[in-house]
Every structure is written in structure tokens, then in C-alpha cells.
Amino acid sequence: MTELHAQTEVAGLVPVRPGPDHVALYRFFDADGVLLYVGICDEPMARWSKHASGKLWWPSVHRFRLLWLPSRREAEKAERDAIVSEKPLHNRAMNGIPNGDRFPVVHLHKFTRELYGDDLFCTRDLIEDLGIPEGSAVNKVRELLDKGLFQVVGKKLGRSGRAVRHYRALPVD
């Protein structure tokens, strides 16, 4: 079995399928080595293109690991085992993560920095852009304010046209 390690930025790197029955088991990691997602597929580039166009976490992907397995059955078992034991941040199935907690507070700061940079955002932005349930978003913002990772910048007009509190995710040294 071939294991491939590469930066996603490497141009032209296409993982080659060793045989017609082989299935890829892949892992995506962020720049800090946090495991974001584990999946399987027959055609990695086509599958990853779907992730890129539809997953909010995709911009966080910094590198991947790919392992070709000789059959779908082996790949499905390996995927299940990896998700259960390694607990990737964005795998919902088999991971035991409640739907309302896709963005644990420990990772939310990082995602907001990547999504908004130094731009301002409000709680409604987190709800609509990241899909965080309203009550969860309010509590997580409060917790990140208490930790000094978010800063209240003031009020400005929100999407609703009302003045709402806006925040900035502060950089961490």
C-alpha cells in the first residue's frame, strides 16, 4: 500500500489509483496538524473538489495523507476505525459529535480568524456563515470574550439593518 504525504498547495500532484478496485482513505489536517476530516473515495481529486466547493472547513486544509486500500470493504472499515479512534473535527457520522457542536470553542477562534481575518463580525454572521446554532453561538462568543480571544469593537448595522455588537477575533502569538 502506498501512503502519500503532500502539501495541498503542490501543483499538479494527483494521487494515482494503483488498481481498479482500490479505494482511497484520506485525512485532511490544518496547519497545526489538527485532524479535520477522514473520508474514502474512488477518485480523490473529484471528491476533494466537492469538499472545496461545499465545506466551510475546506480553507483550513493545509495537508493531506492518502492511503490506497485494495477494496471498498477494507476502506470502509479503516474509515470507521479512524473516525472512532482519531475523532476528526468535522466528521459527524461515527464520531459521536452532536449536530450543534461542529465548532468546539477551542477551534472556533481559529476558524473565525481564518474566515474573517481582522474584519468585524457579529454573532449572526457566525450563525449564518458557520451554521452554529443561535444559543451555541451566543455562549461561545461569550466564552471567547472571557478568554480574551474575541474583542468587542462596537456596534454597527448588521444584516438586519439594526445596530448590533461586532467583534474581532484577536491574533494569538
Side-chain angles (χ1 to χ4, degrees), residues 109-148:
H109 172 262
K110 182 176 172 175
F111 290 131
T112 55
R113 283 293 302 164
E114 290 172 0
L115 184 61
Y116 303 114
D118 288 326
D119 293 340
L120 304 183
F121 59 91
C122 65
T123 305
R124 177 64 42 199
D125 294 328
L126 297 178
I127 293 163
E128 293 178 7
D129 296 342
L130 296 176
I132 300 174
E134 188 168 353
S136 246
V138 169
N139 291 334
K140 289 173 190 229
V141 165
R142 188 175 304 125
E143 187 173 342
L144 287 162
L145 284 167
D146 291 345
K147 291 179 181 220

Side-chain angles (χ1 to χ4, degrees), residues 26-30 33-38 82 86-91:
Y26 58 90
R27 291 170 173 85
F28 292 133
F29 299 88
D30 71 8
V34 173
L35 179 60
L36 299 173
Y37 190 80
V38 173
E86 299 170 37
K87 305 242 181 278
L89 187 59
H90 295 289
N91 282 90

